[in-house]
Amino acid sequence: GFGITDRLMHVLPFFHAFGNFMLWAGIHSGAALILIPNPLDATAVGKMVEQYGGTMLCATPTFLAMYRKRISAEKFSTLRIVVAGGEKLSRKTGSAFERHFGKKILEGYGCTECSPVIAVNSLAEGGNREGSVGRPLPGVEVRVADPETLEPLPNGSPGILMVRGPNVMRGYLERGDLTAGALRDGWYVTGD
């Protein structure tokens, strides 16, 4: 839910899959990109969001928790989308951020082998379910499988997550042994 009228505050390093993805997502969507080289410099992050009227911020829950402690609420007043990824978002961090900034964090899930986004909550009606990582991106399929057999399990059953779609890697470079363990009939075995 972002596009040409948005200003994406890019705080993630480009060498990280999430940071690289956000660079290309920003370019592809036509959003303005405001690059902030050090996500640990909360003062600069707050100043840049305020100065450029940032509308979207993607960061790890650790960074978002730090921003809540070091940035005044008015600095983030223009943000309409805040997405957390790269690690699990705790309810405590999400609630504290929302109380401080008045902004709900949309949690997502992914991994480097899946370019890296698999699923994300959204601002759409019914698109943000607390405690979930949202729906898979268009064209991405997920299933839960038996950890031993990798056979699909019924909805609601615990098991291992598998992903299939155009975002899934073809394999590990020059590591057929690792690729054979990670890819099964076009499905990536996440280990989660």
Side-chain angles (χ1 to χ4, degrees), residues 66-82:
M66 178 183 57
Y67 299 159
R68 180 195 57 83
K69 293 176 185 172
R70 298 184 185 167
I71 298 173
S72 63
E74 60 273 1
K75 299 262 188 216
F76 276 10
S77 66
T78 59
L79 289 177
R80 66 178 195 88
I81 302 171
V82 179

Side-chain angles (χ1 to χ4, degrees), residues 14-74:
F14 297 141
F15 65 81
H16 188 275
F18 189 17
N20 193 280
F21 172 82
M22 288 314 302
L23 172 67
W24 290 107
I27 290 169
H28 178 73
S29 71
L33 287 166
I34 292 85
L35 307 174
I36 303 169
N38 183 359
L40 299 174
D41 187 349
T43 302
V45 171
K47 179 182 175 184
M48 298 289 276
V49 170
E50 182 179 50
Q51 181 177 343
Y52 292 102
T55 61
M56 183 175 183
L57 174 67
C58 296
T60 66
T62 298
F63 293 155
L64 295 172
M66 178 183 57
Y67 299 159
R68 180 195 57 83
K69 293 176 185 172
R70 298 184 185 167
I71 298 173
S72 63
E74 60 273 1

Side-chain angles (χ1 to χ4, degrees), residues 159-172:
I160 195 163
L161 183 67
M162 298 177 70
V163 181
R164 179 167 69 183
N167 61 326
V168 176
M169 69 170 185
R170 292 186 199 163
Y172 295 106

Side-chain angles (χ1 to χ4, degrees), residues 116-128:
V117 181
I118 295 169
V120 67
N121 280 289
S122 76
L123 293 175
E125 176 119 11
N128 185 25

Side-chain angles (χ1 to χ4, degrees), residues 87-157:
E87 62 190 67
K88 182 161 179 44
L89 174 66
S90 72
R91 287 183 192 260
K92 179 181 173 185
T93 296
S95 296
F97 189 94
E98 186 173 2
R99 276 193 310 276
H100 182 72
F101 291 112
K103 313 284 181 190
K104 191 174 279 286
I105 299 173
L106 303 173
E107 187 173 8
Y109 167 77
C111 54
T112 300
E113 293 86 350
C114 294
S115 304
V117 181
I118 295 169
V120 67
N121 280 289
S122 76
L123 293 175
E125 176 119 11
N128 185 25
R129 195 163 103 195
E130 192 173 331
S132 82
V133 294
R135 297 177 188 266
L137 294 181
V140 176
E141 295 176 79
V142 295
R143 74 178 184 196
V144 177
D146 180 283
E148 305 276 327
T149 66
L150 299 182
E151 290 298 316
L153 294 171
N155 286 345
S157 300

